[in-house]
Amino acid sequence: MPSHARPKPSRIPRTLLRAGLVISAAGSAIAAGGAASAGAAPAPAPARSTDTGKTASALTGALLHSTAGGIGPLKNIQLDPLANTPVDPLANAVSTQVADFKPLSTSLVTGNLSRGAAIRDVPLVKHVAKILPG
């Protein structure tokens, strides 16, 4: 009988090593392909033009359009992924009332988020979100 048993090698480190090697090889292939195509044909020198006003306005319009297309949908995404579910931690409100003052509750802060609000629905953030395009 052996006095000690040999432990089984773990598959997790080997799997992680293989995944890392695959990602490294893919990154190297992409970098080599980019370097080969960049050195294959030199880019022609741009011609001098006096049409900088139209070009600048076209670039500005394209930049604003692409920014609006990228940021616009982000303003409508639900911030709390657990909103309207039974396990939403923001749905638990705490309130108190001191003497004759109006009651104070945490639902003022977390209420919109627990109901599935987006950035455009949050009271203080919506003013900043109006500045963003989209």
Side-chain angles (χ1 to χ4, degrees):
M1 269 200 176
S3 61
H4 63 282
R6 183 175 171 202
K8 286 187 170 184
S10 175
R11 292 285 184 197
I12 295 174
R14 183 174 290 173
T15 305
L16 291 176
L17 178 65
R18 287 180 184 163
L21 289 174
V22 168
I23 292 171
S24 298
S28 298
I30 290 172
S37 66
R48 289 184 93 37
S49 174
T50 58
D51 188 19
T52 57
K54 290 182 182 178
T55 305
S57 66
L59 288 175
T60 303
L63 179 64
L64 288 176
H65 181 69
S66 63
T67 305
I71 293 178
L74 293 178
K75 295 191 318 186
N76 298 323
I77 291 178
Q78 181 177 333
L79 292 175
D80 183 13
L82 297 174
N84 300 318
T85 62
V87 293
D88 184 15
L90 296 178
N92 298 328
V94 177
S95 63
T96 186
Q97 182 176 4
V98 177
D100 293 338
F101 296 109
K102 290 175 34 177
L104 182 64
S105 174
T106 58
S107 66
L108 180 66
V109 177
T110 62
N112 285 338
L113 295 176
S114 66
R115 287 188 292 275
I119 289 177
R120 60 180 163 72
D121 300 326
V122 178
L124 296 175
V125 181
K126 69 180 175 184
H127 301 298
V128 177
K130 288 181 182 178
I131 297 171
L132 298 172

